Amino acid sequence: MLKQAQRAYNFNAGPSALPLAVLEKAQKELIDFKGTGMSVMELSHRSAAYEQVHNQAIASLKELMNIPEEYHVLFLQGGASTQFAMVPMNFLPQGKKAGYVVTGAWSEKALKEAKMFGDTYTIASTKETNHNRIPKLDELAYEENTAYVHVTSNNTIFGTEWFTFPDTGDLPLIADMSSDILSHQIDASKFAMIYAGAQKNLGPSGVTVAIVRPDMLERANENVPTMLRYDTHVKNNSLYNTPPTFGIYMLGLVLEWAKEQGGLASIEKMNREKAALIYDVIDQSEGFYKGHAEKDSRSLMNITFRLASEELEKEFLAQAKQAGFVGLNGHRSVGGCRASTYNAVPYETCKALSEFMINFQKNNA
């Protein structure tokens, strides 16, 4: 009998925790996938065995997110960072401009890429307050001839998250949901496109999901390299070239696990309970811990906070590391501390952190 592995208290921002049950199932099937005598990594991406894996993952994502049947689900490569360029390459024509809501580092990078391909403007920005909140809906100002509106649904570095999305009417709404996709219920039909790197809530790094409304393909620029056109991947069911087959297999297992948890309603409830464990400690600490995000903008996925001094933060992080906590350092651009509580981070792990924070305050207040 194999010795039970010691699991870390994993708060990594990405690649992040994966469900233990998923890892164990993948381990069991690693050498011989369903009697093929091969690992999924060894299967031809044109084989019937892999095709079933691929199509089931698409179907599971549509089911969990209640994605309209006509929408296309694509498995791409290059991460969300490649989508920053692909979106304007395909959807920003001459004579129009793309509007971006700037709420953190990733939306800033998306806007920077878009500027290379056409006219852009900033719909709203929270940079003046160091991205500590999500703009109010009445702060969003759209200009004429807007090709699309782009938002970043969750800001990993600053710990803010959209929970009410703007109603953009006839303007296509595009969202980078890399760090909170599948974490709470949304109305997918409000979006012309959603894209997300897999390495937070969907699976291992290497897969990028794109969910595209069909009418967007009709307006897409045709003078784009083949691999960077969405219609290339739609026409070929994301099999134009060899996809990251093992990553897609893992993504499919994570989606099955999500269904077993009771779907997004149950997952959202658990995520709110997990985040509350840590936010409550911050709120009740009388300023010992200070959250970065305003309360109505607090992320369920990335909890960012500071202590009174950098010296105290260093001591907090050092003791946390000794206690088995991983990934609590804040992003290098903002410092402080960050606990990423993605779907696969267990409630018990968040409970352990909350207790550690309480004890650290008692010993250092």
Side-chain angles (χ1 to χ4, degrees):
M1 181 180 291
L2 290 173
K3 182 180 178 182
Q4 180 68 37
Q6 179 65 40
R7 300 285 288 167
Y9 294 130
N10 184 358
F11 290 99
N12 277 327
S16 59
L18 287 165
L20 180 59
V22 167
L23 295 172
E24 290 173 338
K25 183 170 178 59
Q27 181 185 47
K28 186 177 180 181
E29 296 182 332
L30 184 64
I31 295 173
D32 182 7
F33 176 68
K34 295 190 175 179
T36 61
M38 294 175 282
S39 171
V40 170
M41 289 183 280
E42 300 174 294
L43 294 175
S44 166
H45 64 295
R46 309 291 181 191
S47 67
Y50 174 72
E51 185 177 28
Q52 185 176 6
V53 169
H54 191 94
N55 291 337
Q56 183 57 54
I58 293 171
S60 293
L61 189 62
K62 281 194 164 186
E63 177 186 342
L64 279 164
M65 292 184 65
N66 196 24
I67 297 168
E69 183 56 37
E70 68 273 15
Y71 278 50
H72 304 291
V73 173
L74 306 176
F75 297 136
L76 308 175
Q77 298 175 66
S81 295
T82 298
Q83 295 303 300
F84 296 165
M86 271 184 76
V87 167
M89 288 173 79
N90 282 266
F91 302 134
L92 179 51
Q94 283 189 331
K96 292 210 168 189
K97 45 194 168 184
Y100 282 71
V101 184
V102 178
T103 50
W106 302 112
S107 50
E108 287 174 351
K109 290 182 178 182
L111 175 57
K112 181 182 177 182
E113 292 294 296
K115 287 179 177 178
M116 298 181 186
F117 299 101
D119 292 333
T120 64
Y121 69 98
T122 300
I123 294 170
S125 174
T126 55
K127 190 168 187 175
E128 285 189 3
T129 56
N130 198 24
H131 299 305
N132 69 339
R133 66 184 184 89
I134 296 297
K136 307 294 184 189
L137 295 183
D138 60 10
E139 294 178 60
L140 308 182
Y142 309 114
E143 297 183 8
E144 290 185 8
N145 295 320
T146 296
Y148 61 82
V149 172
H150 182 283
V151 299
T152 304
S153 60
N154 183 74
N155 302 287
T156 53
I157 293 174
F158 297 96
T160 62
E161 186 171 12
W162 292 78
F163 293 104
T164 302
F165 290 97
D167 183 352
T168 56
D170 293 333
L171 297 180
L173 179 60
I174 296 177
D176 172 4
M177 292 191 179
S178 292
S179 53
D180 68 344
I181 192 169
L182 219 68
S183 66
H184 64 98
Q185 298 176 95
I186 63 163
D187 181 357
S189 69
K190 291 185 69 169
F191 298 89
M193 179 177 172
I194 295 168
Y195 63 89
Q199 66 272 16
K200 319 286 189 180
N201 277 331
L202 292 175
S205 58
V207 185
T208 307
V209 169
I211 303 164
V212 186
R213 200 172 64 200
D215 67 281
M216 293 300 287
L217 302 177
E218 298 169 9
R219 67 184 78 191
N221 180 9
E222 295 182 357
N223 191 28
V224 172
T226 303
M227 277 297 292
L228 299 175
R229 291 175 53 153
Y230 292 108
D231 64 353
T232 297
H233 303 288
V234 168
K235 291 173 184 174
N236 293 277
N237 192 27
S238 301
L239 294 165
Y240 178 80
N241 69 326
T242 307
T245 54
F246 189 75
I248 294 168
Y249 157 75
M250 290 292 292
L251 183 147
L253 293 185
V254 170
L255 296 177
E256 291 303 316
W257 171 85
K259 286 193 267 186
E260 291 167 2
Q261 307 313 300
L264 290 198
S266 296
I267 286 174
E268 178 176 352
K269 180 175 180 291
M270 180 60 71
N271 283 334
R272 291 189 180 280
E273 291 171 354
K274 284 158 42 180
L277 287 170
I278 302 167
Y279 282 127
D280 285 351
V281 173
I282 293 171
D283 292 341
Q284 294 167 19
S285 71
E286 298 182 341
F288 185 84
Y289 300 106
K290 182 174 176 57
H292 177 75
E294 291 189 0
K295 287 188 177 182
D296 62 358
S297 297
R298 282 174 165 176
S299 170
L300 298 180
M301 298 286 95
N302 308 101
I303 300 169
T304 51
F305 59 95
R306 304 297 305 255
L307 282 80
S309 67
E310 289 191 9
E311 290 73 19
L312 199 57
E313 286 173 352
K314 287 178 181 177
E315 184 60 28
F316 175 86
L317 292 168
Q319 290 189 24
K321 185 176 181 181
Q322 288 182 338
F325 295 94
V326 176
L328 288 176
N329 295 66
H331 191 273
R332 60 186 178 276
S333 66
V334 296
C337 306
R338 171 176 58 178
S340 296
T341 54
Y342 299 120
N343 288 358
V345 177
Y347 180 91
E348 293 74 19
T349 295
C350 296
K351 180 68 173 173
L353 177 58
S354 70
E355 292 171 351
F356 173 84
M357 292 172 69
I358 291 169
N359 289 329
F360 184 84
Q361 180 178 355
K362 285 179 181 177
N363 296 329
N364 292 275

